Amino acid sequence: MESIIGQRIRNSRVHKGLSMQEVANSIGVSKQMINKYEQGKSMPTSDKLIALAKLFQQKVDYFFRKPEVNIGEINFRKKSKFGAKKISALKEEIRIRIENYLYIENICEVSNDFANPLVNRNVVNEIDVKTSAITLRAFWNIGLDAIHNIIDLLEDNHIKVIEIEDESGSFDGLATVIDDKYHIIVISKGMPIERKRFTLMHELGHLLLPIRHLDLKQQERFCNVFASEMLLSEANVLNEFGKQRSRITLEELKNVQEKYGISISAIVYKLGETGIMSQVQVKRFYQQLNFDAELKRVIEQSRYDGLEHSNRYENLVYRAVSEELISISKASSLLQIGLDNLKNKLTANIR
């Protein structure tokens, strides 16, 4: 039990970005005692445990709960723009969110079965990547229509999406598989919606495409192609713009952006890729963006009015508390909302 409590204390401290000395000062013990707590060599008294729970904004039972799964190291593929302390805190935030998600799924006995239709494909070039996107769309029965809510689509197909707050704007997303079973995408909650949708599909490419043997640069390129094809396929582009064009209006680009939820810059890249626009035209477009601040502002404006948010985790918690599988206190901890607020939400039960 001491080792579980110690690990919980350490994880919570790192999550909050606090040093051992800062924690020690907050609860009135020495730095050496905090070190002993974290190593499982000493057990906090009840009053110190309550103080730690208050400091870390956790319920006391959190420190005693055995992890549902062993979540190993969470790594970022790209070099982050923020420091080691922030990276460590972000990793612990992700760890806590994933663990809570898996905990409530197990409580509710929800199936975690996931089938990857791309696992045995041979992906060596961009054509293979685009074919893989078509295969996935067929497997998920979504045809070639615009995808209105990617997060709902992913979670309906047993891929968990964790949204986290990142005020720095330095984190986009990551994908990970836990225990060769749980497929998870972590995404920054506050990014512009077109960027968010592209990032979700990009990370889906990392999860599903058999490309881990390739170098990182090629993986990133293939996942960008995959994301582009999932959001706006070559068939969609030809349908919307026709064949080779000498000129395309901004209004056409805006309309396609609104329909498919993909940025204008990504659409122009796709037009060049399919040969509808020449590479000279595409290069000229990007050069204009660099020299015309007003044009860049117009081009980068978000226009997609769909939603990219899922209430699945929240609904599972409400299901568990309404069926008395967990206590109201536990639900409050899992949802990170006050007990009184939660009780008010639970008063309108339908019987």
Side-chain angles (χ1 to χ4, degrees), residues 87-100:
I87 291 175
S88 297
L90 182 58
K91 287 180 178 180
E92 290 309 318
E93 169 73 9
I94 293 168
R95 191 185 306 277
I96 290 168
R97 297 288 296 278
I98 290 173
E99 186 182 321
N100 285 344

Side-chain angles (χ1 to χ4, degrees), residues 15 88 97 124 130 251 255 260 267 301 308 323 337:
H15 177 220
S88 297
R97 297 288 296 278
V124 296
K130 293 176 182 179
E251 291 306 310
N255 290 336
Y260 292 93
I267 295 169
Q301 184 177 338
E308 280 303 342
E323 295 295 322
I337 61 176

Side-chain angles (χ1 to χ4, degrees), residues 2 9 18 23 48 51 55 71 78 106 111 118 120 122 141 148 152 158 169 213 226 264 266 268 306 328 332 335:
E2 286 83 356
I9 292 173
L18 298 173
V23 174
K48 297 305 180 187
L55 176 64
I71 300 173
K78 294 174 284 187
N106 290 339
S111 171
L118 308 181
N120 293 319
N122 185 28
N141 297 313
H148 297 292
D152 274 348
H158 306 292
H213 62 287
F226 179 82
I264 288 179
V268 171
I328 294 179
S332 170
L335 293 173

Side-chain angles (χ1 to χ4, degrees), residues 82-136:
F82 38 65
K85 190 173 183 180
K86 173 65 176 177
I87 291 175
S88 297
L90 182 58
K91 287 180 178 180
E92 290 309 318
E93 169 73 9
I94 293 168
R95 191 185 306 277
I96 290 168
R97 297 288 296 278
I98 290 173
E99 186 182 321
N100 285 344
Y101 206 139
L102 297 179
Y103 169 80
I104 200 63
E105 276 199 335
N106 290 339
I107 288 290
C108 293
E109 297 182 344
V110 173
S111 171
N112 290 305
D113 293 341
F114 174 77
N116 180 3
L118 308 181
V119 66
N120 293 319
R121 297 187 70 85
N122 185 28
V123 176
V124 296
N125 54 43
E126 293 187 8
I127 294 175
D128 294 334
V129 175
K130 293 176 182 179
T131 304
S132 296
I134 294 170
T135 299
L136 182 63

Side-chain angles (χ1 to χ4, degrees), residues 249-285:
T249 66
L250 180 58
E251 291 306 310
E252 288 177 90
L253 295 171
K254 288 180 181 178
N255 290 336
V256 172
Q257 178 186 13
E258 290 175 0
K259 181 177 180 180
Y260 292 93
I262 183 172
S263 70
I264 288 179
S265 292
I267 295 169
V268 171
Y269 184 87
K270 192 83 174 183
L271 288 168
E273 186 182 52
T274 54
I276 295 173
M277 287 176 66
S278 70
Q279 289 301 320
V280 172
Q281 288 173 299
V282 173
K283 184 177 180 180
R284 187 183 305 129
F285 167 79

Side-chain angles (χ1 to χ4, degrees), residues 8 19 27 31 37 43 49 53-54 57 60 72 106 118 137 171 174 202 226 242 248 278-279 284 286 292 303 313:
R8 292 295 195 189
S19 67
I27 69 169
K31 175 183 175 181
Y37 290 165
M43 178 80 166
L49 205 53
K54 184 177 181 180
Q57 297 177 305
V60 172
N106 290 339
L118 308 181
R137 277 180 163 271
F171 172 76
L174 63 83
H202 178 97
F226 179 82
I248 293 175
S278 70
Q279 289 301 320
R284 187 183 305 129
Y286 288 119
D292 190 333
R303 297 180 177 86
Y313 170 78

